[in-house]
Amino acid sequence: MPRDPKKPRQLVADGRVFLWTLRHDHRTLDDGRSEGCRETLTLHPQPVGTGGPLRIVFAQGPGRYVGGFPLGSGDVGYVRGGSLNLHEPGAVRALLDVASARGWQPGRRRAEEVDGWSLLEAAVAVRAGDTGPAGQVAEGR
């Protein structure tokens, strides 16, 4: 039986539990085309009430693509650069690690929103094993 795409998924990072969801939204034009596509990855620290959610938003723009027809669901990336599939737990973990290394603290009680494009290249490098979470080149590489 396939996984329900609207049901939050669990991620454990450094001993802390998060529930995460991925949502796609856009405006539909009168001719049926869509514009303004966005993917929003939201991580909720657990247990409930121990911290505010982190929303990582990828908005479509010049030189960037956001999943949806004809691309795969959850795909985000630069036309000439790195990309991630936001349905993959490893991609979510890499984005969480980079956001944390850049100052996001899961214990803060308020919601925070981050431009995903500011994290993408560092997260791609983390996934590839080329850098540490903050985007520094790993020793010996």
Side-chain angles (χ1 to χ4, degrees):
M1 179 177 201
R3 186 184 65 74
D4 179 353
K6 297 209 184 282
K7 183 178 178 187
R9 297 175 71 181
Q10 183 174 294
L11 175 72
V12 179
D14 300 324
R16 181 136 198 179
V17 177
F18 298 87
L19 292 181
W20 60 278
T21 59
L22 180 63
R23 299 289 183 258
H24 178 89
D25 62 82
H26 58 267
R27 291 182 306 280
T28 303
L29 303 174
D30 291 338
D31 64 4
R33 291 181 301 133
S34 61
E35 74 171 11
C37 290
R38 296 174 8 136
E39 292 282 351
T40 302
L41 173 67
T42 305
L43 294 117
H44 301 272
Q46 298 299 301
V48 172
T50 60
L54 171 63
R55 290 184 191 93
I56 302 174
V57 179
F58 291 90
Q60 189 176 27
R64 303 170 176 174
Y65 62 87
V66 173
F69 185 80
L71 303 170
S73 172
D75 289 339
V76 295
Y78 292 106
V79 173
R80 291 187 173 83
S83 64
L84 292 172
N85 182 325
L86 301 179
H87 288 296
E88 296 176 357
V92 174
R93 173 63 192 262
L95 288 164
L96 174 62
D97 287 348
V98 173
S100 296
R102 294 186 181 175
W104 181 70
Q105 297 174 2
R108 291 185 189 146
R109 301 250 180 215
R110 60 184 167 80
E112 292 188 45
E113 188 170 297
V114 175
D115 176 9
W117 300 110
S118 70
L119 308 176
L120 183 80
E121 291 294 347
V124 168
V126 167
R127 290 252 10 219
D130 293 338
T131 68
Q136 304 92 359
V137 174
E139 286 187 41
R141 294 188 189 233

